[in-house]
Amino acid sequence: MGQLGNIPSSWNTDSEAFILVSEHRPNLGPNLEADDIPVINLAPFFDVIGVEAEGENWSAIGAVVEHSKDPTLRSLVAEIGNACAEWGFFQVVDHKISPELLRKVMEAAKGFFSLPLEEKKKVGRSFERSLGYNDSELTKNARDWKEVFDWAPQGYVELPESVDSDYRSGRYSNTTLKSYNQWPAKPDGFREACETYTEAVVHLSGLLLGLISVSLGLPYDVLHHYFDKDNTIQARLNHYPHCPLADLVCGVNRHVDSGALTVLAQDSVGGLQVQNVVLKDVSRYSQLFLFC
């Protein structure tokens, strides 16, 4: 294929690995309009809960949500339930994460990914160190056209020490290793921006988790204790370099995330695509994507 310009130099050596089979290549034609995606406005929730929503007393928040007769709040819960059942994806607005905070973390991301490759690889990921920078991820056995930086809000993740050679068997070691955050020296303010933003998003996720629970007829705080300690919450910055093969590759191939919730923030470039798969049994949805 020859040399590919304006991308990390290491990608030139294996550029064929990025090419997808024809049926899974990007759909560059017309798609559903943005107006078709469910939009959840959280303003009624914050209006009813007030300053209590700034804390994490989930049982107190739940007592208000579950017993409130406010029609706008009841409608909000119903909208969330419908979006989860019919889409598994919705856009969140009026979520109280400030545009300034989002701008700061995006500027930090831009500064980091603009660094020379050798500088970014100083905090590179490995099997033993699963947090940090990576530019060689696979999705569905194809290389992703992206660079990432991963970190954990609590400072580390704990994973099985080893995996059986036949990983599909699901056999893992009984011992675990902690993988700690790796923070780059550059750009200035990078760590602070990432940690501040993550704190806000994790809190928003807790609020949404409760509303989703109530939409299923469950107590608001029924799931929160599963995410209080020793959790596997992770955060990621994605960077998609200019692609001269846009009709042949994907930034990230088709996939479903493994966690309970995924909160995504997208810049003005766009490009995110979702597939609407209607589930007949609401209790079966296991992964929910939230777009703020």
Side-chain angles (χ1 to χ4, degrees):
M1 293 179 59
Q3 296 291 298
L4 303 177
N6 300 319
I7 64 170
S9 58
S10 60
W11 291 5
N12 279 306
T13 59
D14 56 356
S15 53
E16 292 285 352
F18 294 94
I19 307 302
L20 300 174
V21 295
S22 58
E23 62 264 36
H24 297 309
R25 289 173 185 170
N27 176 13
L28 302 181
N31 289 296
L32 289 173
E33 295 296 328
D35 290 344
D36 294 320
I37 300 291
V39 177
I40 303 298
N41 188 325
L42 291 183
F45 170 78
F46 291 110
D47 289 344
V48 172
I49 302 301
V51 295
E52 192 76 54
E54 298 176 8
E56 295 186 355
N57 188 338
W58 307 123
S59 60
I61 296 174
V64 177
V65 174
E66 294 167 36
H67 299 100
S68 174
K69 302 300 182 182
D70 186 281
T72 57
L73 180 58
R74 305 316 305 167
S75 176
L76 168 63
V77 171
E79 288 174 9
I80 288 176
N82 290 336
C84 292
E86 297 176 9
W87 280 81
F89 183 101
F90 55 80
Q91 182 177 3
V92 181
V93 297
D94 287 342
H95 44 65
K96 300 296 186 181
I97 296 180
S98 72
E100 177 64 14
L101 182 54
L102 183 58
R103 183 194 65 78
K104 285 183 178 179
V105 77
M106 288 191 172
E107 285 296 318
K110 181 179 179 180
F112 174 75
F113 289 117
S114 297
L115 294 172
L117 183 61
E118 59 270 20
E119 188 70 24
K120 290 180 285 190
K121 286 201 169 183
K122 289 179 180 178
V123 290
R125 282 178 11 195
S126 65
F127 184 81
E128 293 77 19
R129 306 190 73 172
S130 61
L131 299 172
Y133 171 79
N134 189 275
D135 65 352
S136 58
E137 284 197 341
L138 298 173
T139 303
K140 303 293 185 183
N141 296 319
R143 281 282 299 276
D144 295 335
W145 196 275
K146 74 177 191 296
E147 301 173 274
V148 303
F149 179 82
D150 295 321
W151 71 97
Q154 68 178 18
Y156 67 88
V157 292
E158 194 164 8
L159 300 171
E161 186 174 16
S162 63
V163 180
D164 188 279
S165 58
D166 177 13
Y167 74 94
R168 295 184 186 278
S169 69
R171 291 193 292 269
Y172 301 92
S173 65
N174 293 323
T175 56
T176 60
L177 287 176
K178 287 184 178 179
S179 181
Y180 291 88
N181 289 338
Q182 299 186 84
W183 294 107
K186 302 175 183 178
D188 292 340
F190 179 83
R191 176 175 180 174
E192 179 184 3
C194 290
E195 289 184 332
T196 303
Y197 178 70
T198 307
E199 182 179 358
V201 173
V202 170
H203 181 69
L204 172 63
S205 299
L207 298 175
L208 290 166
L209 188 68
L211 289 169
I212 292 167
S213 298
V214 175
S215 78
L216 291 168
L218 300 171
Y220 185 93
D221 62 347
V222 68
L223 297 176
H224 285 89
H225 69 279
Y226 290 106
F227 302 95
D228 285 344
K229 297 179 180 178
D230 300 326
N231 59 65
T232 56
I233 296 175
Q234 287 188 231
R236 162 171 289 190
L237 298 176
N238 290 294
H239 175 236
Y240 305 99
H242 170 74
C243 182
L245 306 170
D247 57 338
L248 300 176
V249 308
C250 274
V252 184
N253 202 354
R254 70 201 192 283
H255 68 283
V256 175
D257 287 2
S258 59
L261 297 177
T262 294
V263 179
L264 306 171
Q266 187 171 249
D267 63 15
S268 59
V269 175
L272 176 67
Q273 294 184 335
V274 297
Q275 183 176 10
N276 180 12
V277 179
V278 178
L279 301 178
K280 295 184 182 301
D281 181 0
V282 175
S283 66
R284 292 178 57 205
Y285 68 76
S286 60
Q287 170 64 34
L288 180 68
F289 293 86
L290 311 175
F291 175 44
C292 299

